[in-house]
Amino acid sequence: MALSPLTKYLPVLQWGRTYNKEAFQNDLVAAVIVTIMLVPQSLAYALLAGLPAEAGIYASIVPIVLYSVFGTSRALAVGPVAVVSLMTAAAIGKVAQSGDIGYATAALTLAFLSGVMLLGLGLLRLGWIANFLSHPVIAGFITASGVLIASSQIGHILGISISGHSLPHMFESLFENFTKLNFITLFIGVAATAFLFWVRKGLKPLLLSKGVPPKLADVLTKAGPVAAVVVTTAFVALFRLDNWGVKVVGEVPQSLPPFTMPDLSFDLIGKLFVPALLISIIGFVESISVAQTLAAKKRQRITPDQELIGLGAANIGAAFTGGYPVTGGFARSVVNFDAGAETPAAGAFTAIGLAIAALALTPLLYFLPKATLAATIIVAVLSLVDFSILKRSWGYSKPDFFAVAATILMTWAFGVETGVSSGVGLSVLLYLFKTSRPHIAEVGLMEGTEHFRNIKRHQVKTDDRLVMMRVDESLYFANARFLEDYIYDRVQADCGIEHVVLMMSAVNAIDFSALESLEAINARLKDMGIKLHMSEVKGPVMDRLQTAHFLHEMTGEVFLSQYEAMAKLTGMTATKAAE
């Protein structure tokens, strides 16, 4: 019992009690597979963020360990991901020049701010804030970002420099520098890209057809990027192609993550605050989506607020160990899950593997061509691109389609920050517009039942003295006036109306503005000689209404059911009403 408060914030105390030899073996195998995958991927994403290659490895060591202590997912693999890396580059590019000391320091500060925000949201139990990002907007943003990321790597494939964080700027830079194309780099980049695409789709079936055991075939497939790294690095080193213009990673420090300090000056924090907030929310949404999907497959439970704390701790850890913002990655988490990870300890073992790589393998990366890392990124991110969301959203909801399309176009035209901001803003505006004009149905009694349905859709029983309206939305400031106008327009056209009954079964809340509108409706109907009634009011809504004077001033009654309201107001017996 004494451990219960600690267990809430330290999930490691929960799964750690039942940890056994079998779980250890499964976690170790998963860690080996994920480590093999992460070495080239971490290097590639660091370069995508505009940082030295080693920053990707540093960002994959301490953050993973911290998440394994504080996180609730048993399969989520935390570290650098493509979208967050691109957002990091876009944010830091506005305050520092890539390659400068200030650039790396800004990355640390961005990770620290993101970590503090995530940690604060978790402690305050504000995980619901991520709900402002609708799924269509997220899908559109990730699709647009995938295209943007792949486009940003074309320069490395061609051996030329391109700049900018939007498609127009990238292509403008590409055309300006196209004459500097390096054909050797182009050969390496195209070959590596083609090989990695083939590995993803064709290697495993080939190995299985040759009689290779499924688990070994899976490991070899995941090691495809490592093979591309080894072969192209050896090729460049053997022929010293760096002297022929092939850009290589260069010297990578042979060390564990260093202790670093973010810059907490008010000026830099002010410039990075909004990007950090966007990175935090995007990272959390991506992470929690992956975590919940994988947890559902094993009937495990994810606690969103504790996930915020876990991701916050991971980002703060990255800030003090030479990294940059991290989150749970889709590809690595799926690999971790498929490889048989039983607990978050698999992440800790992965961190050990990456630490060994940082100490032992980094000298071997000097001649690693950047074109190979670019190929790794392109193949990884294009799997995220899904334009079918446009077709599906168009067929189901035009407003959602416009939100998706606007997010994609804004991301391409102006960059990731503007894209996601516009997507969030448009989603909120569309929600306000939709709920500001709620569906209100005039209902009648279905013959032989106690059920009420829309008079425009069903053959129902009504009474000329009675108007029964079902409000299919919570009432708040944006739609209160709409309800007023709707009721006035309906009753003014019919002098025989004596009662208006608002069926409130779909109303979950009534804010103060809506309360004032109900008071105004009651007063105006009273002047017209019409009584206002309500039915099927939910308990929490009734509790709030009872704190105001409205119920005492209301000319009519509050009925438990719509059937009771019709039976009493029309003077019919229950049996007669149901006939």
Side-chain angles (χ1 to χ4, degrees):
M1 294 297 291
L3 284 177
S4 128
L6 280 177
T7 304
K8 179 180 177 181
Y9 293 104
L10 294 172
V12 64
L13 297 177
Q14 183 178 359
W15 59 262
R17 292 183 218 167
T18 58
Y19 201 65
N20 54 37
K21 183 179 179 180
E22 182 182 356
F24 170 77
Q25 291 174 341
N26 291 335
D27 287 343
L28 197 59
V29 171
V32 170
I33 295 173
V34 175
T35 300
I36 292 172
M37 172 188 175
L38 284 189
V39 171
Q41 194 180 79
S42 297
L43 298 171
Y45 289 156
L47 294 180
L48 175 59
L51 293 163
E54 64 269 17
I57 294 180
Y58 295 161
S60 300
I61 297 178
V62 173
I64 296 179
V65 176
L66 289 172
Y67 178 81
S68 68
V69 174
F70 294 99
T72 59
S73 172
R74 301 197 174 195
L76 191 70
V78 171
V81 299
V83 173
V84 171
S85 297
L86 180 65
M87 295 180 74
T88 297
I92 303 175
K94 297 177 181 178
V95 299
Q97 190 70 30
S98 182
D100 293 347
I101 296 178
Y103 192 93
T105 303
L108 301 175
T109 305
L110 193 63
F112 180 77
L113 287 175
S114 179
V116 170
M117 290 175 181
L118 289 166
L119 189 62
L121 290 173
L123 292 174
L124 295 174
R125 307 182 69 81
L126 296 176
W128 53 266
I129 199 170
N131 295 336
F132 283 104
L133 281 173
S134 67
H135 176 72
V137 166
I138 285 290
F141 174 70
I142 291 177
T143 291
S145 296
V147 173
L148 206 59
I149 292 168
S151 301
S152 72
Q153 299 305 299
I154 293 176
H156 292 302
I157 297 292
L158 300 177
I160 61 178
S161 297
I162 63 173
S163 58
H165 298 292
S166 64
L167 284 184
H169 289 153
M170 287 180 189
F171 285 120
E172 181 183 356
S173 177
L174 177 65
F175 291 133
E176 288 177 355
N177 297 299
F178 193 77
T179 54
K180 301 176 184 177
L181 182 148
N182 185 293
F183 286 98
I184 301 176
T185 301
L186 177 63
F187 171 76
I188 294 172
V190 171
T193 304
F195 172 74
L196 291 174
F197 270 120
W198 174 77
V199 164
R200 179 165 287 220
K201 297 292 185 182
L203 180 58
K204 188 173 182 179
L206 176 64
L207 293 174
L208 292 175
S209 69
K210 299 297 183 182
V212 178
K215 275 199 170 183
L216 180 58
D218 195 52
V219 172
L220 292 175
T221 301
K222 299 295 188 300
V226 176
V229 166
V230 171
V231 172
T232 55
T233 301
F235 183 63
V236 172
L238 182 63
F239 296 101
R240 289 308 304 260
L241 297 179
D242 54 318
N243 294 329
W244 292 83
V246 175
K247 295 179 180 179
V248 296
V249 170
E251 187 175 350
V252 178
Q254 189 176 3
S255 68
L256 292 173
F259 177 75
T260 52
M261 285 291 293
D263 180 358
L264 301 181
S265 65
F266 287 111
D267 181 57
L268 185 59
I269 289 176
K271 293 177 180 177
L272 295 179
F273 184 85
V274 173
L277 180 61
L278 293 175
I279 286 173
S280 299
I281 295 176
I282 289 291
F284 172 63
V285 171
E286 181 177 353
S287 179
I288 198 70
S289 299
V290 176
Q292 288 178 334
T293 300
L294 297 180
K297 294 182 178 182
K298 289 191 175 182
R299 297 189 177 184
Q300 295 168 349
R301 183 172 176 269
I302 297 299
T303 307
D305 290 322
Q306 185 61 32
E307 283 297 290
L308 283 165
I309 294 174
L311 292 173
N315 276 278
I316 291 174
F320 289 99
T321 55
Y324 67 99
V326 297
T327 192
F330 175 77
R332 69 185 68 187
S333 297
V334 170
V335 170
N336 196 37
F337 180 86
D338 290 342
E342 292 281 344
T343 72
F349 297 150
T350 300
I352 294 173
L354 290 170
I356 294 172
L359 287 172
L361 300 180
T362 47
L364 305 176
L365 299 174
Y366 184 93
F367 291 104
L368 172 59
K370 291 185 176 180
T372 301
L373 295 180
T376 302
I377 293 173
I378 289 172
V379 174
V381 300
L382 286 184
S383 65
L384 303 175
V385 176
D386 178 20
F387 285 109
S388 68
I389 186 67
L390 290 169
K391 180 180 179 181
R392 287 183 283 124
S393 60
W394 175 264
Y396 186 78
S397 170
K398 299 300 187 292
D400 282 336
F401 167 80
F402 289 117
V404 173
T407 301
I408 292 175
L409 293 176
M410 293 293 282
T411 301
W412 285 347
F414 301 104
V416 289
E417 287 183 20
T418 303
V420 71
S421 299
S422 61
V424 172
L426 189 56
S427 292
V428 172
L429 288 175
L430 288 172
Y431 172 79
L432 290 174
F433 176 75
K434 177 183 176 183
T435 57
S436 70
R437 302 176 60 83
H439 179 259
I440 300 176
E442 188 168 341
V443 298
L445 179 66
M446 296 286 292
E447 293 286 350
T449 74
E450 295 184 6
H451 298 291
F452 288 78
R453 292 294 184 268
N454 193 330
I455 63 173
K456 294 181 180 179
R457 293 175 177 266
H458 302 275
Q459 291 291 330
V460 293
K461 186 174 184 178
T462 61
D463 190 290
D464 293 338
R465 299 165 295 169
L466 187 63
V467 172
M468 299 175 288
M469 296 180 179
R470 189 187 68 229
V471 183
D472 293 334
E473 189 69 63
S474 291
L475 299 176
Y476 72 117
F477 66 91
N479 60 24
R481 181 56 63 87
F482 179 83
L483 177 63
E484 285 188 51
D485 294 340
Y486 190 95
I487 293 175
Y488 298 156
D489 290 342
R490 174 65 181 86
V491 299
Q492 285 175 350
D494 192 339
C495 298
I497 297 174
E498 299 176 5
H499 304 279
V500 170
V501 183
L502 295 181
M503 186 176 176
M504 309 287 277
S505 54
V507 177
N508 296 317
I510 298 175
D511 75 357
F512 192 75
S513 296
L515 176 64
E516 291 186 331
S517 288
L518 289 176
E519 291 173 345
I521 292 169
N522 180 64
R524 187 163 178 180
L525 291 180
K526 181 179 180 181
D527 293 340
M528 299 171 68
I530 301 173
K531 290 185 177 181
L532 175 67
H533 309 268
M534 293 192 298
S535 70
E536 303 187 12
V537 181
K538 294 183 176 179
V541 177
M542 181 61 77
D543 291 341
R544 296 293 298 273
L545 291 176
Q546 286 175 340
T547 64
H549 296 290
F550 171 68
L551 293 179
H552 302 290
E553 298 171 355
M554 192 171 69
T555 54
E557 301 178 46
V558 178
F559 295 98
L560 184 63
S561 69
Q562 185 65 29
Y563 179 73
E564 178 189 353
M566 183 175 184
K568 183 172 182 179
L569 297 177
T570 58
M572 294 187 295
T573 63
T575 303
K576 188 176 180 181
E579 291 175 352

